[in-house]
Amino acid sequence: MSNSFIFTSESVSMGHPDKVSDQVSDGVLDALLAQDPNSRCACETLCTTDYLLMAGEIRTTASVDFEAVAREVIKDIGYTSDDVGFNAATCTVENRLHEQSPDIAMGVDADGAGDQGLMFGYACDQTPELMPLPIALSHRILNVLTDLRKQGDVNWLRPDSKSQVSIRYEDGKATGITAIVLSTQHAPSVKQAEIKEYVLSKVIPQCVPGELLNAGTKYHINPTGNFEVGGPHGDCGLTGRKIIVDTYGGWGRHGGGAFSGKDSTKVDRSAAYMARYVAKNIVASGLASDCEVQLAYAIGVADPVSIRVDTRGTAKVDESRLEAAVAELFPLTPQGIIKHLQLRRPIFRKTAFGGHFGRDDKDFTWEATDKADELKAALS
């Protein structure tokens, strides 16, 4: 019997209010790391109509103008005029960051994890970047749309947008796209018919494989009929509210912890990156075509309390051997992860939109497959 199903993933643009918050939080982190690579940071951001609030805890020797950082991020995203209800130059920015708890600092200073928790990493062979196809295509659509907006290709695109791609699978293989949804904020001057024609002619052909499109593919472009009010003016934004967009689009599991605004002593972030790195190298090695890795930690304790490798029946060796090889070949303590993946650099603001995984960027060290041959040799 054929195993047929449809799976859907979504992405949101850099101008989505939650992503505005993520980018400000990671902008703060980068500003701290640029001066003091050992900075500790847990910055949360809220934004709404012409207002932004930063709160959380830090420990650093850096001297940073946090308000200036926030305004620069908002400006770079594209919110620079009063008519969209959020203006980088004039919005109210409040800073409520304070010193990190000494109780947390004590455990972290001893190379322990900054908190308890469980983290998942995932990889599969559906795309060249070893990501699930629905989330990969959702990201690609918004990346193209953002590039066109930044280039000034048309004058009516605004920063806030969302995409969604639904793909039919037959016996584990993608056979076609059943629906594409794209909602993009726009100026009042443009007609919806022009937006739809632009998306179908300039955006989709650049990033969606033609062989996956067919006569039955449905396109929902601004399906409400209008999207003039958007960004923080249209909806309150909060750091860490798009964790599924940030990871695997729901195809792989998520431990629950958000990434943005957290320095890498927080295993919510660093161990999730390491779990992706492990899973990607397992798939790249050819030892499995589908791999999910779980790591779990206790606060103040360096070594993970558990390691789990689940290949969903695709492994060419026993999974217990894979787990043993992972424990031997990969540094899994917080400081080991930080050192190996070079996570004390100010590289995080650009992770806060477009997904943390599946990116072709040399700074995204967790996307490297440099351990694949070593893994294969160890298990041959």
Side-chain angles (χ1 to χ4, degrees), residues 11-180:
S11 181
V12 299
S13 72
M14 67 190 311
H16 186 282
D18 294 331
K19 282 289 143 197
V20 172
S21 294
D22 284 344
Q23 288 166 87
V24 170
S25 291
D26 273 337
V28 167
L29 173 60
D30 279 356
L32 294 170
L33 293 175
Q35 295 183 37
D36 176 9
N38 294 309
S39 294
R40 305 275 172 77
C41 178
C43 175
E44 311 293 344
T45 301
L46 175 149
C47 60
T48 186
T49 303
D50 267 335
Y51 177 83
L52 184 139
L53 169 68
M54 295 170 286
E57 61 273 3
I58 60 174
R59 194 178 80 172
T60 186
T61 61
S63 177
V64 173
D65 184 339
F66 296 112
E67 178 179 339
V69 169
R71 292 192 189 279
E72 184 63 25
V73 171
I74 298 165
K75 178 183 176 182
D76 288 349
I77 292 169
Y79 289 116
T80 56
S81 61
D82 291 335
D83 63 346
V84 294
F86 198 61
N87 188 334
T90 60
C91 67
T92 299
V93 176
E94 291 194 36
N95 172 22
R96 293 292 183 269
L97 293 164
H98 58 81
E99 186 75 12
Q100 182 186 53
S101 161
D103 294 341
I104 295 175
M106 180 172 57
V108 176
D109 289 342
D111 190 24
D115 201 354
Q116 70 175 51
L118 51 131
M119 300 81 209
F120 288 96
Y122 179 77
C124 63
D125 63 359
Q126 293 184 32
T127 65
E129 59 264 50
L130 304 186
M131 287 286 286
L133 185 59
I135 187 65
L137 293 183
S138 296
H139 285 325
R140 290 177 199 173
I141 289 170
L142 291 187
N143 289 341
V144 170
L145 190 69
T146 297
D147 287 344
L148 291 169
R149 176 177 65 85
K150 293 268 192 178
Q151 294 163 11
D153 191 61
V154 291
N155 62 7
W156 45 261
L157 278 172
R158 286 181 170 169
D160 192 1
S161 53
K162 301 177 75 171
S163 65
Q164 189 170 281
V165 178
S166 301
I167 297 177
R168 180 176 294 280
Y169 288 81
E170 304 280 352
D171 295 325
K173 299 296 182 182
T175 59
I177 295 173
T178 61
I180 295 176

